[in-house]
Amino acid sequence: MPSFSLTSLPLPPSQPRKSSETCLNCKKNISDGKFGGLKPITVTGNPPTFVSASGRRIVAVGDLHGDLAQARCAFEMAGVLSSDGQNLWTGGETVLIQLGDILDRGEDEIAILSLLRSLSIQANTEGGAVFQVNGNHETMNVEGDFRFVDLGGFDECIDFLEYLDDCEDNWDEAFVHWVSVSERWKEDRRMSQSYWSPWDLVKKQKGVIARSYLLRPGGLLACELARHAVVLKVDDWVFCHGGLLPHHVAYGIERMNREVSYWMRGFDENNDSPEIPFIATRGYDSVVWNRLYSRDTANLYYQSQQVCSIVEETLQAVGAKAMVVGHTPQSGGVNCKCNESIWRIDVGMSRGVLNSKPEVLEIIDNRARVIRNRTDASNELHIVDYT
């Protein structure tokens, strides 16, 4: 395999277009008729902020943290990924939403991002869609905070840049197909006589350089992450990694999404030096770090009521029925609070976190339920209906 050269890598994608409404399924809809009577999915915002997907089944998956095997299991449970290893979309008109924290703690981060992009392309041709929101670990990496990077994550960055060179710097081709070849590259690296031990400082330095190149503001992978929002509203449901608060809504969720995207791309709206969008990405009350809704408060009625009051105020301000969050592992599995206004779906499924069994939130006709495995000894799925 050739080694990557920083001077030979392609330039990052160009500046995004201004916000506009787009239609994901319109071409096929026109040629084949409406998908079972459903209207095409329309998206407003760049990155996507408001989505109209009326009548469609929605499935949401929480934090994945670099664990491709668990990610596949979750997507298969959700009914959107084939179980034959061919990376095929099986969800039809379903809308899949992943709630961030794909990066850190595992060794297959780029492979998961690649799989989601591949599924998104396929879903759009079938009347469905795939959306992602960025979490705190995505924003940390773009800031250059690599404290939680698995050693295998550094290795994957090296491998991917070499594969990109093999693809003659064709970013789209390399990125979409990486999930199909990453395991082979991993095995070749492990079998190679030139494979260094995890403690080799030279190897780690090479990994840090590769990761920095990909994820710095304006880097190729940072620009890929910039395609995704930090807050996404699909019909009557809001999806974000940590939690939306009233002052976020007052600031403007489309504005926050745009600012984070511009920062990740390496410029702001005025083409000045990029600044970190603090209201979305920094501090305990930012969108990606907020744990107000995902941590259980003390057994005090007033505290619980206070949290639910904030939830209600936020949802009224954004015009939504409920909010779905990740970020904080729920040892008891996916659950809800505040009269089903808040759904907490991070179950710590990655081996780098709790290695818990994957669970998926399913929303049909504005009613949510949990999909999980029934027993340790059975692959049979169990549906938990909260209504």
Side-chain angles (χ1 to χ4, degrees), residues 25-37 124-127:
N25 322 119
C26 285
K27 289 184 178 179
K28 182 173 177 58
N29 184 267
I30 292 173
S31 60
D32 295 350
K34 291 182 179 179
F35 302 104
N124 289 347
T125 67
E126 298 296 326

Side-chain angles (χ1 to χ4, degrees), residues 143-161:
E143 289 182 59
D145 185 345
F146 298 159
R147 287 176 295 162
F148 300 97
V149 180
D150 186 89
L151 289 172
F154 287 118
D155 290 334
E156 188 188 27
C157 290
I158 297 172
D159 290 348
F160 177 72
L161 284 179

Side-chain angles (χ1 to χ4, degrees), residues 1-10 158-171 174 178 185 220:
M1 299 178 217
S3 60
F4 69 86
S5 169
L6 296 183
T7 59
S8 65
L9 291 172
I158 297 172
D159 290 348
F160 177 72
L161 284 179
E162 293 180 355
Y163 178 67
L164 180 62
D165 187 56
D166 280 0
C167 293
E168 299 179 346
D169 296 335
N170 184 325
W171 170 261
W178 176 245
W185 276 72
L220 292 165

Side-chain angles (χ1 to χ4, degrees), residues 169-180:
D169 296 335
N170 184 325
W171 170 261
D172 286 329
E173 177 185 345
F175 187 67
V176 171
H177 291 104
W178 176 245
V179 66
S180 300

Side-chain angles (χ1 to χ4, degrees), residues 54-58 237 321 362-368:
S54 179
R56 283 172 171 79
R57 171 179 180 259
I58 300 171
W237 293 73
K321 166 189 171 68
E362 178 185 64
I363 303 167
I364 300 177
D365 294 331
N366 263 343
R367 296 177 62 183

